[in-house]
Amino acid sequence: MTSLLARRACALPQRGCCLHASARVRHEAEGRSSTQTTTHFGFKTVPREMKESLVRGVFSSVASKYDLMNDAMSMGIHRLWKDHFLRKMAPPSGARLLDVAGGTGDIAQRFLQYQDAVNHDNRSSVHLVDINPEMLQEGERRFAASKWALDDRLSFTVGNAENLDFIDSSSFDVYTISFGIRNCTNPDRVVSEAFRVLKPGGRFMCLEFSRVENPFLAALYDAHSFHVIPALGDLIANDRSSYEYLVESIRRFPAQDDFAQIIRDAGFTTIGKGYENLTFGTVAIHSGYKF
């Protein structure tokens, strides 16, 4: 297993390593000239160049409780979504997976378990990339004593999904990003980089929160998201504001058809509408092929 401590993709700025400490910075940023290029950070408007460090701060804050909070927020349903994600992927024997925003490694673990159980494969490998070192450290701890680590089938790199300059072009069979792309400043650049690093015939797969179309269910979902999830963040992780941001970021992400078009614009070929809704559209699996 190649440690992230030995594989820093680039020197990362240290600002924003705590969400609460960055509140004053956000306030000052919002008061700057309106001519400055801006983007969204949840429901707030911030200078575009600041979003990366602010997002890094959120995940630094929640890393140690991330998996526990996923269970609490979704009542464990996120595990079913991820299991279905892997079955839909159905990776071939010997596949190389690039798992971006791979965080604590739950997609990587399912991928390797699938290869062991279905393909009886001891050659497949995973490269996990995440902008947040604390999240990757949680992933390293998950795999530290695993047979996959002992067989050197895992590597970890701190890096930005929008600029994978440490990854060779046409070098991976599958690219996944799970519950991560909505936190990126420029999702279109993320998808374009995915296209570059995939081999011809390779597959892009994204699991992300999406839009519930049924008005009644959407109202229930909003009530849960804006009231229950921040309260759970406060109770379990002692961090309400980070989970308020995570909920807000879901609402700012493009709807299913709009994101499917971003994938096609990057050069991918999609099958049918290009996505599958799960749990009434709470999340969607997007998929595209590099032909």
Side-chain angles (χ1 to χ4, degrees), residues 183-202:
N183 298 306
C184 298
T185 306
N186 301 289
D188 55 333
R189 293 183 191 174
V190 175
V191 180
S192 293
E193 275 291 84
F195 189 86
R196 180 185 67 80
V197 302
L198 281 168
K199 298 175 183 177

Side-chain angles (χ1 to χ4, degrees), residues 163-185:
N163 181 19
L164 300 173
D165 57 358
F166 51 95
I167 301 289
D168 291 336
S169 298
S170 303
S171 58
F172 282 87
D173 300 292
V174 185
Y175 174 114
T176 55
I177 183 164
S178 175
F179 301 120
I181 197 167
R182 74 181 188 280
N183 298 306
C184 298
T185 306

Side-chain angles (χ1 to χ4, degrees), residues 181 186-198 204 258-270 288-291:
I181 197 167
N186 301 289
D188 55 333
R189 293 183 191 174
V190 175
V191 180
S192 293
E193 275 291 84
F195 189 86
R196 180 185 67 80
V197 302
L198 281 168
F204 168 84
D258 295 332
F259 185 54
Q261 189 59 51
I262 289 172
I263 293 169
R264 288 188 285 269
D265 289 345
F268 287 105
T269 299
T270 61
Y289 295 88
K290 181 180 178 177
F291 293 140

Side-chain angles (χ1 to χ4, degrees), residues 11-77:
L12 297 173
Q14 295 303 306
R15 60 180 179 172
C17 57
C18 173
L19 182 70
H20 302 297
S22 65
R24 177 180 57 81
V25 178
R26 292 204 305 273
H27 176 74
E28 292 174 355
E30 289 168 7
R32 293 178 187 175
S33 170
S34 60
T35 61
Q36 188 171 22
T37 303
T38 60
T39 189
H40 60 83
F41 176 72
F43 290 159
K44 300 178 178 68
T45 299
V46 298
R48 182 171 291 274
E49 68 272 15
M50 287 187 64
K51 182 171 179 177
E52 180 180 319
S53 62
L54 293 172
V55 170
R56 193 180 308 123
V58 168
F59 287 94
S60 293
S61 177
V62 305
S64 64
K65 301 286 187 180
Y66 184 76
D67 289 331
L68 176 61
M69 278 297 301
N70 280 344
D71 281 329
M73 290 188 301
S74 71
M75 295 176 287
I77 296 174

Side-chain angles (χ1 to χ4, degrees), residues 97-141:
L97 169 65
L98 180 62
D99 186 24
V100 177
T104 60
D106 46 359
I107 296 297
Q109 183 177 41
R110 283 170 169 80
F111 171 84
L112 292 168
Q113 288 172 336
Y114 181 97
Q115 296 292 54
D116 286 353
V118 177
N119 291 327
H120 309 290
D121 169 23
N122 60 5
R123 298 179 298 116
S124 293
S125 61
V126 184
H127 188 164
L128 286 91
V129 175
D130 200 291
I131 201 168
N132 187 278
E134 287 85 358
M135 291 289 286
L136 279 184
Q137 286 165 4
E138 293 295 321
E140 283 198 299
R141 278 191 280 270

